[in-house]
Amino acid sequence: GAQAVLEYQLFYRARYAEAAFASCQGVRLPATGGYAIATMCGRYGAQLCTAQRWLDFQGDKNNGLAPLQIDFRLLPNGSEPG
């Protein structure tokens, strides 16, 4: 039988996730003038989006974009995955 990865956990430092989110937060779509993050955060839209919600949407296989389920875990800065 063939084996395949169907889902996995990904660990990010909170500082890294927040910085990545902040770098995308102000980006606007030229076609609409709206914030790109609004389409990348699912039901929360741009107003209620956070780094964790943004990553959760990106890793949700039910969003029609992610090829498999990704469970993003944000670690406190300076900690190690356990």
Side-chain angles (χ1 to χ4, degrees):
Q3 295 183 355
V5 174
L6 301 177
E7 64 182 87
Y8 66 94
Q9 290 181 328
L10 183 60
F11 295 87
Y12 279 161
R13 296 257 182 263
R15 179 180 23 247
Y16 177 81
E18 294 291 339
F21 174 71
S23 74
C24 296
Q25 201 170 15
V27 175
R28 290 190 178 264
L29 297 171
T32 65
Y35 289 105
I37 203 80
T39 62
M40 298 169 61
C41 206
R43 67 181 181 194
Y44 296 106
Q47 297 288 1
L48 300 175
C49 197
T50 64
Q52 184 67 65
R53 289 174 175 170
W54 174 60
L55 291 170
D56 287 346
F57 181 76
Q58 300 308 306
D60 185 355
K61 67 180 180 184
N62 296 316
N63 69 13
L65 303 170
L68 55 108
Q69 190 68 31
I70 305 168
D71 179 18
F72 288 95
R73 301 286 178 110
L74 300 187
L75 300 172
N77 298 315
S79 65
E80 295 297 322

